[in-house]
């Protein structure tokens, strides 16, 4: 019984009926009310918001490597079609006006939610990262500078902190490339440790989209590409969001 | 060239000579100076320290489920040989008196390091967890209550936050079971989302130890075992720590 879950929800296309798990299963709706081209996904998801802090902008903690590569990619947003993906306090800010295929009423009254990869407010202490997305090629690059609060082996980033950021970059890339919204599985092979405070570059590609699933890969390496830190792959579930019936 | 890394270091048993990566490769020393029975590992690694805060103790944010299961396992530490694994601000606190097989001099002068899974100081906001280890059976149980700063899908724990904690529980279990110290690879399949604020139970087992590698598995589920949240597996590299030459 417990094997049923995300994947069964795709196959059957409706909420499951497992006792105690009905609010956990995603619902796939093939007759969604809005267009889902990459262009429309990007324009909706990546809009800048004046009232909401964008954490994907440079701050004083960014080192020279992080800054210079950031400006290289910023140039590409003007000439090569790349998009800088904004990063807000919560995914709620990205999907305003749309509802998730999950029943969240029991958990929706708190104001202290934070996206895990933005959980540490103080600049430079935790995750510093920015994602750039290339819509026509369905790929992303994430610049990652781990702070001292992401430690695993003394002096180096915790493997789990890299895994979580790859999952997050996968997630944003999968959604923008075709509404891949939930991680089904994730695999990572570690090659070398990332020194805290240094720059690691995550190169993410959508490998294929098949049967409402998206398959992504990631190579994480140093800027000069001489050191591979990790290789990862992940599968995401496609789910179209529905517009809220009473939009403001 | 870049394929060489952790695993090659095991095979050759010495530091690699890759340019730019010499401080990243582990060194395996089969002629370690101290005994490495599970008993001695536990007694050294799990000693309580009066001057160092132990984050694995209950606080006001723990819900009734977390508290009652914690007390169940605490009873087992008295009768069934289970050990409560202390959790400090940094792995440095666990390995005092021993040196890692890595050159850390460039990164060892900062005082703001924090173990990633203890990165959020405020009680109840981030990771609340405690690991219990069973030495004779080489298995662990981790009680996990994700706070609002671990959000992914609104209202639920980020998949990466669970992946990181499984990696951390693997890491502690692997070390205590036989000096498995570095994650080589990690795989996770997500089945259901974990509501923020609820209790998830991680059941970790050492499946086998072979060729200086340790293979671990984890099933994460609700307390009543009716909902499986994720299944994971991981491989760790065995590395014996050496005593520091000038111990205090």
């Amino acid at each position: 019984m417990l094997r049923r879950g995300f994947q069964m929800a795709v196959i059957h296309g409706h909420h499951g009926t497992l006792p105690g798990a009905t609010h956990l299963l995603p619902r796939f709706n093939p007759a969604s009310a809005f267009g889902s081209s990459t262009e429309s996904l990007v324009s909706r998801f990546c809009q800048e918001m004046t009232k909401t802090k964008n954490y994907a902008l440079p701050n004083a903690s960014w080192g020279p490597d992080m800054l210079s590569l950031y400006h290289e990619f910023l140039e590409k947003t003007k000439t090569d079609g790349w998009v800088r993906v904004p990063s807000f306090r919560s995914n709620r800010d990205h999907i305003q006006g749309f509802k998730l295929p999950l029943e969240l009423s029991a958990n929706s009254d708190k104001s202290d939610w934070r996206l895990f990869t933005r959980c540490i407010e103080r600049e430079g202490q935790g995750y510093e990262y920015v994602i750039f997305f290339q819509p026509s090629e369905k790929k992303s690059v994430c610049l990652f500078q781990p702070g001292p609060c992401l430690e695993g082996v003394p002096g180096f980033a915790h493997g789990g902190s890299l895994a979580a950021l790859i999952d997050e970059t996968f997630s944003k890339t999968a959604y923008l490339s075709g509404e891949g919204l939930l991680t089904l599985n994730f695999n990572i092979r570690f090659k070398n440790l990332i020194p805290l405070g240094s720059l690691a570059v995550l190169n993410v590609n959508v490998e294929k989209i098949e049967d409402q699933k998206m398959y992504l890969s990631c190579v994480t390496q140093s800027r000069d590409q001489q050191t591979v830190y990790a290789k990862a792959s992940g599968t995401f579930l496609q789910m179209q969001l529905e517009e809220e019936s009473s939009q403001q």
Side-chain angles (χ1 to χ4, degrees), chain A residues 66-127:
Chain A
M66 178 93 166
L67 263 181
S68 69
L69 200 53
Y70 171 80
H71 285 295
E72 270 186 33
F73 276 95
L74 206 57
E75 281 303 306
K76 291 183 181 180
T77 64
K78 298 168 189 162
T79 56
D80 297 340
W82 286 77
V83 176
R84 183 184 57 199
V85 181
S87 181
F88 305 126
R89 183 189 172 100
S90 166
N91 278 325
R92 293 161 206 267
D93 298 314
H94 282 290
I95 58 171
Q96 281 179 11
F98 292 87
K99 61 180 178 182
L100 286 163
L102 301 159
E103 291 173 21
L104 299 171
S105 56
N107 290 305
S108 61
D109 59 342
K110 292 208 179 175
S111 60
D112 50 359
W113 312 108
R114 293 190 75 92
L115 181 68
F116 177 49
T117 50
R118 296 298 184 192
C119 66
I120 298 167
E121 182 76 31
R122 211 169 131 214
E123 289 178 358
Q125 295 299 295
Y127 279 106

Side-chain angles (χ1 to χ4, degrees), chain A residues 120-134:
Chain A
I120 298 167
E121 182 76 31
R122 211 169 131 214
E123 289 178 358
Q125 295 299 295
Y127 279 106
E128 294 293 340
Y129 72 92
V130 53
I131 299 170
F132 289 91
F133 174 63
Q134 167 51 265

